[in-house]
């Protein structure tokens, strides 16, 4: 019908105009070493081992104390406003 020919004509006009949305670029992506976006990808957080009673600082929840440890997968910490389970390792929490 008419809808199919309209879609074809739109896609043809986009191809003529150089609109390559959805198509892979032939040039490789450049990696800029000074980009601030590389810091999060390149930084590997150190594996901190938490123990019951450790004092910690969390980026969102603030200061707290470890109340239980679930192996190397998670810890429960009391931040005063409430207890939170935090998966580990995480760059958002560190020992004081």
């Amino acid at each position: 019908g008419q809808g199919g020919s309209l879609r074809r004509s739109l896609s043809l006009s986009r191809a003529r105009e150089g609109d390559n949305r959805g198509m892979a670029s032939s040039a490789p992506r450049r990696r800029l070493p000074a980009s601030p976006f590389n810091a999060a990808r390149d930084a590997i957080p150190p594996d901190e081992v938490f123990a019951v009673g450790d004092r910690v600082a969390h980026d969102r929840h603030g200061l707290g104390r470890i109340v239980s440890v679930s192996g190397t997968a998670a810890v429960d910490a009391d931040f005063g406003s409430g207890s939170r389970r935090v998966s580990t390792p995480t760059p958002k929490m560190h020992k004081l």
Side-chain angles (χ1 to χ4, degrees):
Q2 189 177 12
S5 63
L6 180 60
R7 277 191 289 267
R8 272 193 300 276
S9 67
L10 283 175
S11 65
L12 288 174
S13 67
R14 283 184 182 155
R16 278 192 293 265
E17 293 170 6
D19 185 7
N20 60 357
R21 284 182 283 178
M23 295 182 187
S25 173
S26 61
R29 296 189 79 177
R30 294 186 325 163
R31 181 170 172 165
L32 302 175
S35 173
F37 299 105
N38 291 337
R41 183 177 57 212
D42 294 343
I44 298 172
D47 291 340
E48 287 191 88
V49 178
F50 297 101
V52 175
D54 284 348
R55 295 187 54 183
V56 294
H58 191 279
D59 289 352
R60 178 177 287 169
H61 305 297
L63 299 175
R65 187 173 303 272
I66 302 295
V67 290
S68 71
V69 179
S70 301
T72 59
V75 296
D76 291 318
D78 181 20
F79 292 105
S81 61
S83 184
R84 301 271 187 210
R85 183 172 200 76
V86 180
S87 61
T88 56
T90 179
K92 294 182 179 184
M93 186 170 74
H94 60 274
K95 285 192 213 183
L96 295 178

